[in-house]
Amino acid sequence: SPTARGKDFVSGFNQGWISNKYGTQWNAGFEEKEFQRVMQLTREAGGNTLRLWLFEGQNSDALKWEDGKAVSLAPEFETNLRSVLRIAKQEKVRLNLTLLDGNMGGWKFKDQKTKNFWWDVLNENNRAREDFIKNIFIPLLKILSEPDFKDVASQLDLANEINAFTHRGNHLKFADEWTGANKMICDFYQAKSKVEGSERIEFTASVGWNHAADHVLQGHPWPECVDFFDFHVYNDGGEIAKCRQLVAYARQKGKPIQLGEFGQELGLTWDYLQSASARNFLSNAKKCGLNGALAWRLSEPEKNAYLSFEREGKLRPAYYEIKKILLGEENETCKKCSSKK
């Protein structure tokens, strides 16, 4: 790969949105210190990558809206994004940046005009996708490709769990399911290839829900329109079903593949369960040959946030389990043990 990845195992955390500011983290709810804090926590755990979302939700204030349509990047977003990129560079943490959240397809829209706008972007109606690429995606890429931010944004995910937009019962979806999803992925991939400097940013569209592995093995997303594959898995034991098949498939296609999200399934805040699940996921990802694994979710303020690695201002034991693996402390301990024998 020509990017900043090199031979590094992509490791670290998902943050998604800071605090509970889904859809407002880049503008009205912007907190520079909180972005810096989660980057520092990532680095201190031995991670090299933090995943952040950009335009999450139905009407993110990172975008400028006119009559139910997103027409450009919000000026405040551009300023604040540059601040975050500078902090990431300073903290030596790479960013996986995710544009859209596929899960919004399952939510009712308060505003019909906004629903129509996103429907047109997904289904290529009324030049909406072309305009989105021209007025939002290309300007974003130009910022990320500025020489000052070289190798900071190492990965770009078109849509978190893009297959959520293929669910038939959703309010917002691709009318022709994966065929439509793949066409959209390819349109963005081709547009990206024309932006100078953006070749160092790896592009994908992540796949989630229960059948992520099957989707990838069935050729979704189309391999020719992504730089790497990214799939998400949640279970209590930390098993990665079909992991070796996925690695073999990705190698056949000449692409890296990573576990872009992992976490426990049971909705209970049990430290030992989170620790065991996280430890097993990360160990299994490395053993089976994946190119990376990012835990969900670093910091969440709600008391019952069972997936959060931080609770009420304190880091939970699972954070230190990940740190042990990433910094090789377990291996060092084992070496000392063996030397005593």
Side-chain angles (χ1 to χ4, degrees):
S1 168
T3 69
R5 177 197 291 268
K7 294 182 179 177
D8 287 355
F9 182 86
V10 175
S11 63
F13 297 91
N14 286 268
Q15 180 57 38
W17 55 97
I18 59 162
S19 304
N20 55 0
K21 297 175 179 179
Y22 184 94
T24 64
Q25 63 173 331
W26 292 104
N27 192 339
F30 184 68
E31 288 182 67
E32 186 173 299
K33 287 183 179 177
E34 183 62 10
F35 277 103
Q36 184 162 21
R37 191 182 74 85
V38 292
M39 287 181 204
Q40 289 171 342
L41 287 176
T42 300
R43 178 173 45 75
E44 287 164 8
N48 55 38
T49 301
L50 180 71
R51 183 173 180 231
L52 297 170
W53 295 8
L54 298 179
F55 312 135
E56 71 277 1
Q58 296 171 349
N59 53 356
S60 163
D61 71 2
L63 301 172
K64 184 180 178 184
W65 294 85
E66 290 179 5
D67 197 28
K69 296 179 180 178
V71 295
S72 68
L73 298 172
E76 298 89 345
F77 167 76
E78 295 189 27
T79 300
N80 294 334
L81 175 62
R82 285 190 172 94
S83 296
V84 168
L85 291 168
R86 286 188 199 100
I87 294 167
K89 185 177 180 180
Q90 174 189 323
E91 298 296 341
K92 296 181 171 58
V93 171
R94 299 198 294 258
L95 300 180
N96 170 312
L97 299 175
T98 299
L99 272 71
L100 310 177
D101 179 10
N103 294 299
M104 74 167 172
W107 310 332
K108 286 186 178 179
F109 280 76
K110 293 178 183 177
D111 177 21
Q112 186 64 35
K113 287 182 179 178
T114 305
K115 180 183 178 181
N116 292 345
F117 165 74
W118 285 120
W119 183 277
D120 288 348
V121 171
L122 262 59
N123 294 290
E124 215 174 358
N125 298 331
N126 303 317
R127 290 175 50 96
R129 183 184 302 169
E130 189 179 332
D131 288 344
F132 189 95
I133 289 172
K134 177 185 173 185
N135 300 323
I136 293 169
F137 186 56
I138 298 297
L140 170 69
L141 282 173
K142 287 182 176 177
I143 294 173
L144 301 180
S145 303
E146 289 173 9
D148 281 355
F149 307 132
K150 182 181 175 184
D151 296 340
V152 175
S154 57
Q155 297 182 332
L156 202 59
D157 181 356
L158 174 58
N160 173 62
E161 301 180 349
I162 197 166
N163 55 310
F165 284 132
T166 68
H167 295 172
R168 291 179 184 178
N170 275 2
H171 300 277
L172 178 66
K173 60 191 173 185
F174 290 105
D176 48 0
E177 301 177 11
W178 262 115
T179 301
N182 280 312
K183 285 178 180 176
M184 178 167 165
I185 294 165
C186 289
D187 282 349
F188 277 78
Y189 184 71
Q190 286 160 10
K192 175 185 169 293
S193 69
K194 296 170 185 173
V195 177
E196 188 178 349
S198 72
E199 66 277 358
R200 299 186 67 83
I201 305 168
E202 291 182 327
F203 180 83
T204 197
S206 60
V207 183
W209 293 75
N210 296 328
H211 306 291
D214 292 330
H215 286 303
V216 174
L217 292 170
Q218 288 161 10
H220 308 305
W222 289 339
E224 62 268 26
C225 292
V226 295
D227 297 311
F228 69 104
F229 300 107
D230 186 305
F231 69 106
H232 303 167
V233 179
Y234 288 84
N235 62 60
D236 297 332
E239 301 96 359
I240 306 171
K242 303 183 180 178
C243 192
R244 295 197 183 279
Q245 281 177 258
L246 288 162
V247 170
Y249 170 81
R251 285 182 181 159
Q252 179 197 350
K253 302 299 180 185
K255 313 277 180 178
I257 182 167
Q258 69 188 37
L259 183 61
E261 288 183 20
F262 66 80
Q264 71 184 64
E265 190 170 17
L266 191 64
L268 295 171
T269 313
W270 291 350
D271 286 343
Y272 72 86
L273 174 61
Q274 188 190 35
S275 294
S277 175
R279 180 174 60 245
N280 291 340
F281 267 123
L282 192 49
S283 299
N284 288 334
K286 288 192 163 203
K287 281 177 192 171
C288 93
L290 292 176
N291 299 98
L294 300 173
W296 183 278
R297 177 182 179 221
L298 181 50
S299 178
E300 194 166 340
E302 284 77 14
K303 285 186 178 179
N304 297 320
Y306 62 94
L307 288 165
S308 177
F309 284 78
E310 194 174 41
R311 189 181 185 194
E312 296 178 14
K314 292 183 180 180
L315 292 167
R316 296 175 64 195
Y319 173 86
Y320 297 100
E321 287 293 329
I322 285 182
K323 184 175 180 180
K324 278 182 193 174
I325 295 173
L326 295 182
L327 292 180
E329 290 172 14
E330 283 191 333
N331 293 339
E332 289 301 315
T333 306
C334 289
K335 284 176 189 173
K336 289 174 186 173
C337 291
S338 61
S339 63
K340 288 179 182 176
K341 290 179 182 176

